[in-house]
Amino acid sequence: NIEPTWNIWEFDTVTQDLRRIISSDLVAEQGHDTGPTYLPDGRIIFSSTRQRGNQARLLDEGKPQYSGLEESGDVAASVLHVMSSEGEQITQISFNQSHDFDPVVMPNGKVLFSRWDHAGGNKGINLYTINSDGSELEILYGRHSHESVEGLDNVQFAATSITPNGQILVPVSSFDQTKLATNVIAINTNDFIDNTSP
């Protein structure tokens, strides 16, 4: 018995129509698809455990296809993919041993997203940017900024949003947080790559 997966749906507020973006049941159930957002050209960028690019590489090497697990070995890593507005031409654009999620489009056209970095015992969720074709991946903010912010230690950078004037807003959240409520802060990525590093 196959367990259902998270799928991406679109709701038309005018016609009240609801449609699953990937119409094929077989293709839709190949992975958990989350966090979609529209790109300026109408395509959709999202996070998925389907790992299309990883599996194609394995097939090219004559190996069986499988989804790579994140460091804990418990769940498949969810990384960024792009597809047409009709759920076709699904292409993996990011590669990570952990999760890449929460993509949003910046005014300059780059995609801002959160990446779970977990290397050498130094773990945290940081902000990265990438082009929608997978090129020019770079860290934008946060690698050394997990210290105390607004009274919370172990601060993580996820669930970002962009204001109409291009300001990046991030809820102040922590792995150690005991309450759901949080404040939202603006991050000055024009002048800083970390909290105290111009």
Side-chain angles (χ1 to χ4, degrees), residues 3-12 16-33 36 38 44 46 50 83-88 90:
E3 301 239 350
T5 60
W6 288 96
N7 296 159
I8 297 172
W9 294 77
E10 178 184 71
F11 180 70
D12 188 318
Q16 302 290 296
D17 289 335
L18 178 67
R19 77 173 177 106
R20 188 174 65 190
I21 298 294
I22 300 173
S23 59
S24 164
D25 290 339
L26 181 64
V27 176
E29 298 301 321
Q30 289 176 349
H32 291 285
D33 301 331
Y38 287 101
I44 298 169
F46 61 103
R50 62 183 62 237
M83 66 180 163
S84 73
S85 60
E86 298 303 317
E88 299 169 346
I90 301 171

Side-chain angles (χ1 to χ4, degrees), residues 125-179:
I125 299 174
N126 305 302
L127 297 178
Y128 282 75
T129 59
I130 195 170
N131 289 329
S132 63
D133 64 359
S135 64
E136 296 184 26
L137 169 71
E138 43 189 11
I139 190 164
L140 180 69
Y141 189 86
R143 185 71 176 119
H144 304 287
S145 300
H146 300 284
E147 64 276 352
S148 180
V149 176
E150 304 243 341
L152 286 177
D153 290 322
N154 201 9
V155 172
Q156 305 304 317
F157 303 98
T160 57
S161 59
I162 308 284
T163 66
N165 67 357
Q167 190 173 36
I168 297 173
L169 302 179
V170 180
V172 179
S173 60
S174 167
F175 289 145
D176 307 322
Q177 192 168 326
T178 58
K179 60 183 180 178

Side-chain angles (χ1 to χ4, degrees), residues 22-81:
I22 300 173
S23 59
S24 164
D25 290 339
L26 181 64
V27 176
E29 298 301 321
Q30 289 176 349
H32 291 285
D33 301 331
T34 60
T37 193
Y38 287 101
L39 292 168
D41 62 8
R43 293 178 302 149
I44 298 169
I45 186 166
F46 61 103
S47 186
S48 180
T49 59
R50 62 183 62 237
Q51 299 181 25
R52 279 272 177 107
N54 290 355
Q55 293 183 11
R57 287 181 182 179
L58 290 168
L59 190 61
D60 288 346
E61 295 172 5
K63 299 174 183 172
Q65 295 178 339
Y66 63 90
S67 293
L69 300 178
E70 52 95 41
E71 284 94 344
S72 70
D74 294 331
V75 296
S78 192
V79 292
L80 299 182
H81 290 67

